[in-house]
Amino acid sequence: MLKAIARSEPVQRFLGSLLAGYLRFVQRTSPMTVIPADGHAWLEDGPVIITMWHGQHFMQTFGLRPQDRIHVMISRHGDGAINAIAAEKLGMFVVRGSGAQRSDQVRKRGGIQALRQLLALLEAGDHVSMTADVPKVSRVAGEGIIALAALSGRPILPVATVCSRRIDLNSWDSASIGLPFGRTALVIGEPIFVPKEADAARREACRRAVEIAMDLAYAEAYAALGSADPGGNRESVALARAAKAAEFLA
């Protein structure tokens, strides 16, 4: 009964609006430092694939400028509907779908269709945004974002947005929820290109490069606020990355 109520459109719209209002309040009360100061310049050279880690994506709209037209990939899950409503109210466009650990799960969750939509949007000149990792496998870059970069010829842009005042959750993705009246650091990393003709080994190297770039961006963002990344250096992440590397070598 409670699940049915939570999944009803009126309730999801109410919760999505509430989330958007809260995030807007946090943004307005938390002055932002952009690192480097001219980091947004990467968005002026054509469409890019903006990426961040799961659990750290709630604040991605903080760095959105009025002129930025960004389409964000959000899962079809019930919680995703709330996030999608919030994202739209905060000025982003939404593409529904998500990646997964297995290929059959990707199709079921609309990941392939969503990637096709994102590819079309990049070709039309719009920016797109998606998490680099897939659900339940924290901080292990998936093949989806690498495939999108290779097919589109557009670069992956690592982005980390961190609040000095926040709640760090003990969840699979070490999610952080920003609190008002603090400071915000936005780190925009160097773009990563994936050649269209890249073979499997080159794509795997690019995938690992995304992980390294994302780790560096988050470490820099937290350091700018005088703290350490609570989601970094976890044993579960190291084990998952080792398993992913072994999978490629098998």
Side-chain angles (χ1 to χ4, degrees), residues 11-172:
V11 171
Q12 289 180 336
R13 289 207 166 275
F14 170 75
L15 293 175
S17 299
L18 193 66
L19 176 59
Y22 175 75
L23 291 174
R24 190 177 289 113
F25 179 63
V26 174
Q27 179 184 7
R28 289 176 176 174
T29 59
S30 305
M32 173 178 285
T33 298
V34 180
I35 306 170
D38 62 349
H40 280 107
W42 293 117
L43 278 68
E44 311 299 335
D45 295 333
V48 298
I49 305 166
I50 299 168
T51 193
M52 71 294 301
W53 288 135
H54 258 100
Q56 311 296 313
H57 58 284
F58 294 107
M59 287 81 73
Q60 67 170 300
T61 58
F62 288 16
L64 186 66
R65 303 172 303 172
Q67 67 267 36
D68 295 330
R69 185 176 174 85
I70 302 175
H71 301 257
V72 58
M73 182 176 173
I74 297 178
S75 75
R76 294 177 175 178
H77 189 272
D79 292 342
I82 296 171
N83 291 337
I85 292 166
E88 288 176 340
K89 288 185 175 294
L90 290 169
M92 302 188 82
F93 302 89
V94 174
V95 173
R96 300 301 301 275
S98 68
Q101 299 178 48
R102 304 197 316 262
S103 58
D104 60 320
Q105 292 176 323
V106 174
R107 185 173 297 277
K108 181 179 179 181
R109 295 177 182 178
I112 295 175
Q113 181 181 359
L115 281 176
R116 287 173 179 164
Q117 288 181 260
L118 295 178
L119 179 60
L121 290 165
L122 287 167
E123 292 176 344
D126 286 354
H127 304 299
V128 304
S129 172
M130 62 187 294
T131 54
D133 49 354
V134 300
K136 304 301 181 181
V137 187
S138 178
R139 304 202 178 195
V140 177
E143 284 86 1
I145 193 168
I146 302 301
L148 180 60
L151 289 169
S152 67
R154 302 312 305 167
I156 299 169
L157 194 67
V159 171
T161 309
V162 174
C163 293
S164 61
R165 299 189 69 250
R166 63 187 182 274
I167 298 174
D168 296 322
L169 303 179
N170 185 26
S171 56
W172 69 270

Side-chain angles (χ1 to χ4, degrees), residues 137-138 140 233-247:
V137 187
S138 178
V140 177
N233 300 317
R234 284 176 292 154
E235 183 180 3
S236 60
V237 172
L239 290 173
R241 288 182 177 180
K244 185 69 174 178
E247 177 185 317

